Amino acid sequence: SVRELLARAAKDINQVNYNRLSAEGRAQYDQSKRFSIQAEQALRERNLIFAATLADKAATLAAELLGR
């Protein structure tokens, strides 16, 4: 499920036009990307609970940027 969340976050974030975002939107975009990277690292370290938390945050932020 962590991989699914990360895939959803990546799909959503790739649909966002970074150049059209406000400063707050850009910060949210960047944070979503950072959460995804950290979740991948946590998966590699087998820290599944932390990875799931980070992936959920990344997916939530990405979805918010799309207005979901």
Side-chain angles (χ1 to χ4, degrees):
S1 70
V2 174
R3 293 264 182 226
E4 290 171 7
L5 281 171
L6 288 172
R8 185 172 358 128
K11 180 180 174 234
D12 287 351
I13 207 77
N14 287 332
Q15 294 178 32
V16 174
N17 184 341
Y18 186 82
N19 294 324
R20 290 190 174 182
L21 293 174
S22 65
E24 184 179 323
R26 288 179 184 196
Q28 189 173 334
Y29 179 100
D30 294 339
Q31 187 65 53
S32 177
K33 289 272 211 177
R34 278 192 297 275
F35 283 147
S36 292
I37 292 167
Q38 291 171 336
E40 289 285 352
Q41 179 65 36
L43 277 177
R44 284 192 293 276
E45 294 170 358
R46 306 252 190 253
N47 189 345
L48 301 181
I49 294 171
F50 189 48
T53 300
L54 292 167
D56 182 57
K57 288 180 181 186
T60 299
L61 288 175
E64 286 176 2
L65 286 170
L66 288 178
R68 293 187 185 167

